[in-house]
Amino acid sequence: MALLEILHYPDPRLRQIADKITVFNDDLRKLGDQMLETMYQSKGIGLAAIQVNIKKRLIVIDVSETRDKPLILINPDIIKKIDKVQSEEGCLSVPGFYEQVERYNYIKYEASDIDGQLYTNEAEGLLAICIQHEIDHLNGKLFVDYISELKRERIAKKIEKLKSQGKTVKRDKVPYSI
Ligand code: QAP
Ligand code: CO
């Protein structure tokens, strides 16, 4: 199956607001599967459709150690969040950079499954943080938006410079431990 191309900050397409999904069909299943494959291949724990230039409210996540617990969340929304924590984050769209941001350690959320069935669930720890990070993507927001403008601009310049040299950013560190 085909891998999808991940957009890199500061690509303006990462600032788009994703549209709500209303059609649940085989094309949507295929998109979910391709996003999971792309995420696994990049050693990620989460990926939002916006990151592969698809303006739909779909995110995929797997925070399991065994890398065999895929989650597909459609039209996800947070309905309750408690317990602020600091989280060291990275992002497949900001390769090679990691910063501390503030998140909630516990959330209650709502989402549709791949068949369009709406449900609510709760999450804590890394999964809760990952859901918050990915929902931000659907609203055009990146983790670097929580750090200083100076740091953010430096990161943007470094990524652009590496790209202009045709280099890929080193990816041996991952911004989480599972
Ligand atoms: C979001 O991020 C996240 O720079 C998902 O070299 C991150 O999958 C949620 C990655 C941290 C919670 C905590 C980034 C892999 C993957 C890199 C990712 C890299 C290799 C990031
Ligand atoms: Co991200």
Side-chain angles (χ1 to χ4, degrees):
M1 219 205 282
L3 295 173
L4 304 167
E5 195 187 321
I6 300 176
L7 302 178
H8 287 161
Y9 178 68
D11 192 313
R13 290 173 291 181
L14 289 167
R15 298 308 192 179
Q16 301 178 99
I17 313 288
D19 300 322
K20 195 167 174 180
I21 292 174
T22 54
V23 180
F24 295 82
N25 58 15
D26 280 349
D27 284 351
L28 191 66
R29 263 170 232 281
K30 187 172 160 197
L31 173 61
D33 286 347
Q34 289 188 338
M35 282 176 54
L36 280 166
E37 197 188 348
T38 304
M39 177 188 79
Y40 285 130
Q41 197 269 159
S42 325
K43 298 189 171 68
I45 56 170
L47 183 70
I50 279 285
Q51 292 177 273
V52 292
N53 200 26
I54 291 169
K55 249 184 78 186
K56 289 182 197 259
R57 303 192 81 81
L58 188 156
I59 65 182
V60 298
I61 291 179
D62 190 343
V63 296
S64 74
E65 227 169 292
T66 42
R67 318 289 292 144
D68 61 354
K69 309 241 172 346
L71 296 174
I72 300 180
L73 273 55
I74 294 162
N75 303 328
D77 249 323
I78 291 167
I79 46 188
K80 184 176 178 174
K81 44 189 185 182
I82 51 177
D83 206 1
K84 272 189 192 167
V85 285
Q86 288 290 118
S87 143
E88 179 171 28
E89 289 186 16
C91 178
L92 290 171
S93 293
V94 192
F97 296 88
Y98 317 94
E99 297 286 344
Q100 293 281 337
V101 305
E102 199 171 81
R103 297 284 186 195
Y104 293 87
N105 196 47
Y106 169 93
I107 61 166
K108 208 166 240 173
Y109 68 96
E110 186 178 271
S112 289
D113 67 18
I114 198 74
D115 301 310
Q117 181 65 51
L118 192 67
Y119 65 91
T120 62
N121 205 347
E122 44 186 24
E124 62 180 333
L126 185 60
L127 176 59
I129 288 167
C130 197
I131 293 173
Q132 292 163 72
H133 176 114
E134 302 308 331
I135 290 179
D136 270 357
H137 276 300
L138 304 182
N139 297 322
K141 200 166 169 97
L142 299 166
F143 82 93
V144 293
D145 297 344
Y146 297 103
I147 64 176
S148 75
E149 188 178 349
L150 183 64
K151 272 192 184 176
R152 185 165 59 247
E153 288 309 312
R154 279 193 190 138
I155 292 173
K157 288 217 171 77
K158 283 184 190 164
I159 293 176
E160 279 184 321
K161 187 173 175 197
L162 283 166
K163 285 213 150 191
S164 74
Q165 297 169 336
K167 288 186 191 158
T168 44
V169 187
K170 244 183 123 187
R171 274 196 181 164
D172 37 12
K173 185 184 173 194
V174 290
Y176 41 78
S177 48
I178 47 178

